[in-house]
C-alpha cells in the first residue's frame, strides 16, 4: 500500500514536471530572449520611470501635474542603445559555444526585406510579403496620425515567418497535415491553427481572397462617418491540393532597379517591368501544410501563414550582395548610383535648425502646416528640446542630394551574414534561460574589461517580464509533492516494522525449535532479514504493477477534466528505484524485530504457544 501511494505521487509529480517542461520549452519557443541592432532595456526603463514619478504627495487643495511624458521620453532616450551584434554573434559561435547546451535554437535576423509576389491569372502580380493590406485600406494613417510616431512604430503585419532551425522541436510542436516539412531554401509550408483554420487577413495578403473588395468597403466606411464594414462574405474552404499547388516568387530589392542612361532607376511602379521581373524570379513552392500539435501551446491566433527555413534567409542575403547594382554601388562608394552625383561629405552637411523647420513648413499646404504645427506643440509639451524636434523632422525634409552610401545600401537591402540586425535566443527551459543570461553577462563583463563598454549587449526577456513568478510556483509545487512522498515513506517504514514484529511474536515457537536444532543467533536474524527482503521485493513489484494499472483511469480522468493527456507518468527509473527502496526499507524496518528474535531464549521460546 505504501509503495502504491509513493508510486502514484511520483507519477503525478513526474507527469507534472514533464508537462511543465514542455510548456516552458514551447513558451520560450514563442517568446525568446532577443536583442536587436537598436534595442532598449524595457525593465530598466520602466523601473527608472517608476522611481522618477514617485511623489510624497501634497494636500494644499490644488491639482498638480505629473510629468509622466517627460520621464518617458527621457527614459527612452537614455535606455535606447546600439548593439554590436557582429561581435556578439562571433562570440556565440566561438568563445560562447557553451550556450548551445541551453538553447533550442538561435535565430539570426537580417534587415534584408523578404519581397514575395504571386502571379494571379485575374489580378496579375500580387505582393504577398511585406503585407500592404493596412496601407491599401488607409488604416496606417488613421492609427498613427503623428509623423513622429510613424517613424518609430512598425505597421507591417507580415504573413511570412522563419521556422525554428530545430527539426526535433518542430516535429514535436507541429503535425504535418499534408505534404512534408521544407528541406530546401525554396520550399515553404502553409501554417494553420489547431482547428485547421487560417485567418482571412492571411488569405487577403496571400491573394487567395479578393482584397480589393475589402479595401473599397473600408474606404467607403471611413468616408461615411466611420460606419462599420459589413462582412457578409461566406467562409472560404480550400483543399490540401489547392494549397499545395501554390507557388510564389522571390524578388530582391536590387531587382526593382534598372540601369537607364548611366544611372539606376526605381521601376517598382512600372507594372510591365515588374510583371516580367516576377515571372523570371526565383519560384518558392508550398510543399506542406502544418498545424500545432494537440498539446502544443504555440499561438494559433498568429497572423503568420507561411513558414520558411533559415536557408531562404541566407540565400536572400547572398543574392542581394551578388547583384549587379549592389556591386556597382560598392565599387563606387563616393558616387550615388541613383543620381550619378557624388555624396555630400559630412563637413558639407548643414545641421537642421528650428528656422529650417519653419521655412520648410511654410512651403506646405495650409492643412498640412496646421497638422505639423500641432505635432511641434505636442513635442514641446513632452519636454523635447528644439534641436531634438529639429532632428526628428530632418528626415521629412531630406532631399535627393542628402543621400548617403549607407542609406543606398540599406535601400538595396544589403546585409552581411556576419552582422545580423536581430538575434533571438530560444532557451530550452527556465533554468537554461538563467544560464543564457549568465553567458550574456559574461560577455558584457569581458568587453567591459577590455575597455569596450560600448559593446555591451542590451536584450529583452519577454518571458521574464511576463512570468516572473512561474518558477517560484513550480518550485513550491515540487517541494509539496516531495513532502508527500517523504510522509508516505515514513508511514511505509512504520507499517513494515510493525508487521515484522508481529511475525516474530507469532513465530516464537518456531524460533525456539530452530535454536534447539543448533541455529545460531545470526542464523535466526538472517531468516527474518531474508524474509523482509523477499517481502520488500514482492511489495515493490506488486505496488508498481498496481500503480501502472491505476494510471490508466487516472490519466483518462485528468484528460476529461483538463484536456491534458499523459499527466500521470511513472518513469522506469523511478519504478526500479522504488523496488530497491522497498527492499531496503523492509530490511531496515526488520532489523530490530530480527535482532529481538535472535535474542530469545530457546527454552522460553519452546515453551510458548
Amino acid at each position: 500500500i505504501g509503495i502504491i501511494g509513493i508510486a502514484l505521487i511520483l507519477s503525478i509529480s513526474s507527469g507534472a514536471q514533464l508537462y511543465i517542461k514542455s510548456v516552458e520549452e514551447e513558451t520560450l519557443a514563442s517568446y525568446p530572449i532577443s536583442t536587436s541592432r537598436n534595442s532598449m532595456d524595457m525593465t530598466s526603463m520602466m523601473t527608472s520611470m517608476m522611481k522618477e514619478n514617485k511623489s510624497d504627495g501634497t494636500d494644499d487643495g490644488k491639482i498638480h501635474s505629473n510629468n509622466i511624458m517627460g520621464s518617458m521620453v527621457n527614459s527612452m532616450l537614455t535606455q535606447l542603445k546600439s548593439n554590436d551584434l557582429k561581435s556578439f554573434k562571433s562570440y556565440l559561435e566561438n568563445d560562447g559555444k557553451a550556450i548551445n547546451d541551453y538553447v533550442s535554437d538561435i535565430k539570426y535576423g537580417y534587415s534584408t526585406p523578404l519581397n514575395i509576389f504571386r502571379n494571379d491569372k485575374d489580378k496579375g502580380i500580387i505582393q504577398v510579403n511585406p503585407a500592404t493590406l493596412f496601407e491599401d485600406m488607409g488604416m496606417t494613417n488613421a492609427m498613427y496620425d503623428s509623423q513622429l510616431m510613424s517613424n518609430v512604430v512598425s505597421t507591417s503585419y507580415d504573413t511570412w515567418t522563419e521556422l525554428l532551425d530545430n527539426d526535433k522541436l518542430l516535429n514535436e510542436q507541429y503535425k504535418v497535415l499534408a505534404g512534408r516539412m521544407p528541406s530546401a531554401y525554396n520550399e515553404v509550408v502553409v501554417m494553420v491553427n489547431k482547428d485547421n483554420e487560417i485567418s482571412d487577413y492571411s488569405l487577403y495578403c496571400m491573394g487567395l481572397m479578393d482584397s480589393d473588395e475589402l479595401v473599397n468597403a473600408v474606404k467607403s466606411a471611413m468616408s461615411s462617418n466611420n460606419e462599420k464594414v459589413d462582412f457578409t462574405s461566406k467562409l472560404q474552404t480550400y483543399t490540401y491540393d489547392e494549397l499545395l499547388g501554390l507557388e510564389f516568387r522571390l524578388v530582391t530589392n536590387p531587382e526593382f532597379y534598372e540601369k537607364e542612361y548611366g544611372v539606376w532607376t526605381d521601376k517598382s511602379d512600372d507594372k510591365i517591368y515588374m510583371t516580367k521581373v516576377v515571372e523570371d524570379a526565383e519560384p518558392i513552392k508550398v510543399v506542406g501544410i502544418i498545424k500545432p500539435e494537440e498539446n502544443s501551446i504555440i499561438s494559433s491566433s498568429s497572423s503568420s501563414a507561411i513558414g520558411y527555413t533559415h536557408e531562404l534567409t541566407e540565400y536572400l542575403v547572398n543574392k542581394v550582395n551578388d547583384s549587379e547594382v549592389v556591386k556597382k554601388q560598392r565599387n563606387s562608394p563616393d558616387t550615388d548610383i541613383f543620381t550619378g552625383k557624388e555624396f555630400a561629405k559630412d563637413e558639407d552637411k548643414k545641421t537642421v535648425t528650428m528656422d529650417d523647420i519653419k521655412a520648410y513648413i511654410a512651403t506646405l499646404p495650409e492643412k498640412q502646416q496646421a497638422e505639423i504645427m500641432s505635432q511641434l506643440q505636442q513635442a514641446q509639451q513632452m519636454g523635447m528640446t528644439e534641436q531634438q524636434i529639429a532632428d526628428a523632422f530632418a528626415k521629412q525634409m531630406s532631399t535627393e542630394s542628402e543621400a548617403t552610401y549607407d542609406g543606398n545600401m540599406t535601400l538595396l537591402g544589403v546585409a552581411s551574414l556576419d552582422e545580423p540586425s536581430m538575434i533571438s535566443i530560444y532557451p530550452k527551459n527556465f533554468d537554461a534561460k538563467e544560464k543564457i543570461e549568465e553567458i550574456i553577462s559574461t560577455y558584457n563583463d569581458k568587453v567591459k574589461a577590455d575597455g569596450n563598454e560600448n559593446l555591451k549587449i542590451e536584450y529583452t526577456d519577454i518571458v521574464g517580464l511576463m512570468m516572473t513568478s512561474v518558477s517560484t510556483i513550480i518550485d513550491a509545487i515540487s517541494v509539496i509533492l516531495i513532502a508527500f512522498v517523504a510522509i508516505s515513506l515514513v508511514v511505509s517504514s512504520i507499517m513494515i516494522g510493525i508487521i515484522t514484529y508481529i511475525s516474530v511474536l507469532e513465530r516464537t515457537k518456531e524460533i525456539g525449535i530452530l535454536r534447539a536444532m543448533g541455529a545460531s543467533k545470526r542464523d535466526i536474524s538472517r531468516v527474518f532479514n531474508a524474509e523482509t527482503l523477499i517481502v520488500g521485493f514482492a511489495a515493490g513489484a506488486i505496488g508498481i504493477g498496481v500503480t501502472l494499472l491505476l494510471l490508466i483511469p487516472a490519466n483518462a480522468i485528468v484528460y476529461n477534466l483538463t484536456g491534458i493527456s499523459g499527466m500521470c507518468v511513472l518513469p522506469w527509473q523511478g519504478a526500479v528505484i522504488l523496488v530497491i527502496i522497498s527492499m531496503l526499507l523492509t530490511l531496515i524496518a526488520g532489523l530490530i524485530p530480527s535482532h529481538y528474535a535472535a535474542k530469545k531464549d530457546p527454552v522460553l521460546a519452546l515453551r510458548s504457544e
Side-chain angles (χ1 to χ4, degrees):
I1 294 173
I3 292 300
I4 292 172
I6 297 170
L8 286 174
I9 292 173
L10 181 61
S11 299
I12 296 173
S13 175
S14 176
Q17 290 295 337
L18 290 174
Y19 175 71
I20 290 169
K21 181 180 179 182
S22 66
V23 169
E24 288 175 350
E25 184 172 342
E26 290 165 0
T27 302
L28 291 168
S30 301
Y31 302 100
I33 294 175
S34 60
T35 180
S36 58
R37 187 175 295 158
N38 296 307
S39 67
M40 183 181 298
D41 186 352
M42 297 298 296
T43 304
S44 299
M45 187 190 77
M46 292 172 65
T47 303
S48 175
M49 287 175 57
M50 290 172 65
K51 287 181 179 179
E52 288 185 14
N53 290 312
K54 282 185 177 179
S55 174
D56 296 332
T58 57
D59 189 14
D60 56 2
K62 298 179 181 179
I63 304 299
H64 301 269
S65 65
N66 188 1
N67 192 14
I68 294 178
M69 292 305 298
S71 299
M72 184 183 296
V73 171
N74 289 330
S75 297
M76 290 176 64
L77 292 174
T78 55
Q79 297 297 333
L80 188 62
K81 182 180 181 297
S82 296
N83 289 317
D84 185 357
L85 299 190
K86 181 177 182 180
S87 300
F88 186 53
K89 181 176 185 289
S90 176
Y91 173 80
L92 294 179
E93 294 176 345
N94 296 286
D95 299 335
K97 284 185 177 179
I99 199 172
N100 295 325
D101 297 332
Y102 308 110
V103 301
S104 299
D105 187 28
I106 300 179
K107 186 186 293 185
Y108 298 106
Y110 299 90
S111 56
T112 304
L114 181 65
N115 304 307
I116 303 294
F117 291 81
R118 194 171 77 84
N119 204 339
D120 186 87
K121 61 180 180 180
D122 298 323
K123 299 180 63 176
I125 59 172
I126 301 172
Q127 182 174 334
V128 174
N129 196 76
T132 61
L133 184 60
F134 282 116
E135 294 177 8
D136 295 338
M137 292 188 298
M139 296 294 287
T140 53
N141 291 333
M143 289 187 291
Y144 303 108
D145 195 30
S146 170
Q147 289 294 324
L148 282 172
M149 290 298 294
S150 64
N151 290 332
V152 177
V153 181
S154 172
T155 59
S156 175
Y157 295 83
D158 295 343
T159 55
W160 286 55
T161 184
E162 183 177 320
L163 298 169
L164 292 176
D165 195 17
N166 186 323
D167 294 337
K168 179 177 178 295
L169 191 59
L170 283 177
N171 292 330
E172 290 175 354
Q173 292 181 335
Y174 290 102
K175 176 183 180 181
V176 178
L177 296 177
R180 57 179 174 82
M181 284 289 189
S183 58
Y185 74 90
N186 59 348
E187 296 178 345
V188 297
V189 289
V190 174
M191 305 166 70
V192 300
N193 67 13
K194 295 179 181 180
D195 299 319
N196 283 24
E197 295 175 340
I198 187 170
S199 69
D200 55 353
Y201 171 78
S202 299
L203 295 173
Y204 281 124
C205 294
M206 292 165 61
L208 295 178
M209 292 178 65
D210 190 359
S211 62
D212 288 343
E213 294 181 2
L214 176 64
V215 170
N216 293 333
V218 171
K219 287 184 176 179
S220 176
M222 293 179 67
S223 61
S224 57
N225 298 324
N226 293 323
E227 294 180 358
K228 291 184 178 179
V229 179
D230 182 18
F231 291 95
T232 57
S233 60
K234 296 181 180 179
L235 294 175
Q236 303 292 317
T237 57
Y238 304 90
T239 64
Y240 290 162
D241 291 337
E242 285 177 322
L243 295 180
L244 289 174
L246 290 175
E247 183 176 280
F248 304 96
R249 300 283 172 160
L250 172 65
V251 179
T252 61
N253 274 24
E255 292 176 277
F256 292 149
Y257 299 89
E258 185 180 39
K259 194 170 185 180
E260 293 181 340
Y261 308 108
V263 296
W264 292 86
T265 306
D266 185 357
K267 307 281 286 186
S268 58
D269 293 330
D270 189 329
K271 291 186 177 180
I272 298 176
Y273 173 82
M274 286 303 301
T275 300
K276 185 176 186 310
V277 167
V278 172
E279 289 176 351
D280 297 339
E282 181 76 24
I284 304 295
K285 299 179 180 179
V286 174
V287 297
I289 303 171
I290 63 175
K291 64 180 287 187
E293 285 284 3
E294 184 177 354
N295 294 327
S296 172
I297 64 166
I298 293 177
S299 174
S300 59
S301 61
S302 172
S303 62
S304 298
I306 301 294
Y308 61 92
T309 63
H310 185 67
E311 284 77 8
L312 177 60
T313 301
E314 293 184 350
Y315 173 82
L316 175 64
V317 172
N318 289 328
K319 187 174 182 180
V320 169
N321 288 326
D322 292 338
S323 65
E324 182 183 356
V325 59
V326 170
K327 290 180 179 179
K328 179 66 176 177
Q329 182 63 85
R330 190 171 282 134
N331 294 332
S332 306
D334 298 327
T335 304
D336 184 355
I337 61 171
F338 300 125
T339 62
K341 301 178 181 179
E342 290 190 359
F343 291 117
K345 297 180 181 179
D346 292 338
E347 56 268 20
D348 297 332
K349 291 182 180 179
K350 178 185 175 183
T351 301
V352 178
T353 64
M354 282 301 297
D355 292 335
D356 298 324
I357 296 291
K358 293 175 181 177
Y360 168 72
I361 294 175
T363 64
L364 301 175
E366 290 185 6
K367 184 177 180 181
Q368 197 169 353
Q369 287 184 28
E371 291 178 354
I372 295 181
M373 290 302 296
S374 176
Q375 293 172 23
L376 286 174
Q377 292 175 0
Q378 292 176 14
Q380 290 172 345
Q381 291 173 1
M382 290 168 60
M384 295 179 66
T385 64
E386 288 191 355
Q387 190 56 53
Q388 288 174 336
I389 297 173
D391 293 339
F393 275 87
K395 253 185 184 179
Q396 300 177 44
M397 299 171 53
S398 62
T399 61
E400 193 176 68
S401 61
E402 293 176 339
T404 63
Y405 172 81
D406 291 336
N408 281 5
M409 298 302 270
T410 301
L411 192 64
L412 293 170
V414 177
S416 171
L417 291 175
D418 295 330
E419 188 174 359
S421 60
M422 184 173 68
I423 299 178
S424 300
I425 303 173
Y426 296 83
K428 290 181 177 180
N429 48 50
F430 280 96
D431 292 335
K433 183 173 73 71
E434 293 178 358
K435 295 292 185 181
I436 292 170
E437 290 174 344
E438 290 178 7
I439 291 174
I440 297 176
S441 297
T442 301
Y443 171 80
N444 287 338
D445 293 339
K446 178 178 178 296
V447 296
K448 183 178 180 181
D450 295 338
N452 299 316
E453 191 168 355
N454 60 310
L455 299 182
K456 288 176 61 177
I457 295 295
E458 296 288 351
Y459 61 90
T460 301
D461 177 15
I462 299 178
V463 174
L465 293 173
M466 294 172 55
M467 306 174 69
T468 53
S469 61
V470 171
S471 295
T472 305
I473 295 173
I474 294 172
D475 292 340
I477 293 173
S478 299
V479 169
I480 293 171
L481 292 175
I482 292 171
F484 276 121
V485 173
I487 293 171
S488 299
L489 287 174
V490 173
V491 173
S492 299
S493 300
I494 295 173
M495 290 170 59
I496 293 167
I498 293 172
I499 291 171
T500 307
Y501 180 71
I502 293 173
S503 176
V504 171
L505 295 178
E506 291 178 344
R507 296 163 65 184
T508 303
K509 189 172 183 178
E510 180 185 333
I511 295 170
I513 294 172
L514 290 173
R515 289 297 306 277
M517 293 173 63
S520 65
K521 292 182 178 180
R522 181 173 295 180
D523 292 332
I524 299 298
S525 180
R526 286 173 178 172
V527 167
F528 283 94
N529 287 338
E531 288 181 358
T532 53
L533 280 174
I534 295 171
V535 170
F537 175 77
I542 295 172
I544 296 301
V546 173
T547 300
L548 293 175
L549 292 175
L550 291 175
L551 291 182
I552 298 174
N555 278 318
I557 294 171
V558 172
Y559 179 76
N560 288 329
L561 293 175
T562 65
I564 302 172
S565 61
M567 177 57 76
C568 303
V569 179
L570 179 63
W572 68 268
Q573 301 96 328
V576 172
I577 292 173
L578 278 177
V579 173
I580 295 174
I581 289 175
S582 176
M583 296 173 67
L584 289 176
L585 285 175
T586 51
L587 177 62
I588 294 171
L591 287 178
I592 295 176
S594 64
H595 180 68
Y596 173 75
K599 290 179 63 178
K600 277 187 175 293
D601 184 273
V603 176
L604 295 175
L606 284 171
R607 291 170 55 186
S608 65
E609 289 295 337

